[in-house]
Amino acid sequence: MSFSETLKRLRLEKGLTQGDLAKYSGLKQSSIAMYETGKRNPKIDVLERLADFFNVDIDYLIGKTDKTTKVIVAPPEPQKNIETPPAPKEDREHKHLQNLLSDPHLRRILESSGQLNESSLQEVQNFIDFQLGKKKQ
């Protein structure tokens, strides 16, 4: 089975649309569509990301083998009196940014901000501050 067929089958098995897979994997929906139609081949980092997402080997994903080793990781047993270290700051910030970018309103604001000059950006910030002040009252 080819990569494009395997990718589509794995996506459908999970009940995902191309848009869902794009959202969860951080890829563009148009890229997923091109991978599934065989019009484009992914780079190795994308293959790794997809293999991790679907919990399959890259060899299985690209059709080199019909068998895969799915890795099932059981959560570790909780240990008493041991504090779990906080996630690295970079991981927390990355997750926070992903959550922000998943909001279509915030995404539009961020994408539009590049077209504004400094004065206009300051006006937007003033408006946000005003709205937040109203909310507190």
Side-chain angles (χ1 to χ4, degrees), residues 103-125:
D103 181 316
H105 301 295
L106 289 176
R107 181 182 286 273
R108 181 150 192 279
I109 290 168
L110 289 171
E111 289 172 347
S112 300
S113 68
Q115 300 171 9
L116 300 175
N117 62 31
E118 194 64 37
S119 173
S120 296
L121 287 172
Q122 186 59 52
E123 287 180 41
V124 171
Q125 181 62 52

Side-chain angles (χ1 to χ4, degrees), residues 47-66:
L47 284 172
E48 289 172 343
R49 191 179 324 173
L50 291 169
D52 288 345
F53 177 80
F54 289 114
N55 196 19
V56 297
D57 300 320
I58 290 179
D59 284 349
Y60 178 79
L61 189 60
I62 63 173
K64 196 171 181 181
T65 180
D66 291 343

Side-chain angles (χ1 to χ4, degrees), residues 6 9 11 30 34 37 41-42 98 102 112 116:
T6 303
R9 185 180 50 74
R11 177 180 60 78
S30 59
M34 285 192 267
T37 57
N41 290 318
Q98 282 183 320
S102 68
S112 300
L116 300 175

Side-chain angles (χ1 to χ4, degrees), residues 61-111:
L61 189 60
I62 63 173
K64 196 171 181 181
T65 180
D66 291 343
K67 296 179 183 172
T68 187
T69 306
K70 292 191 177 189
V71 180
I72 300 173
V73 179
E77 291 293 322
Q79 298 180 9
K80 296 180 181 178
N81 300 325
I82 296 179
E83 291 184 32
T84 305
K89 183 178 179 184
E90 296 82 24
D91 289 348
R92 291 191 310 268
E93 289 174 349
H94 182 74
K95 285 183 181 182
H96 181 66
L97 283 174
Q98 282 183 320
N99 288 337
L100 289 174
L101 291 175
S102 68
D103 181 316
H105 301 295
L106 289 176
R107 181 182 286 273
R108 181 150 192 279
I109 290 168
L110 289 171
E111 289 172 347

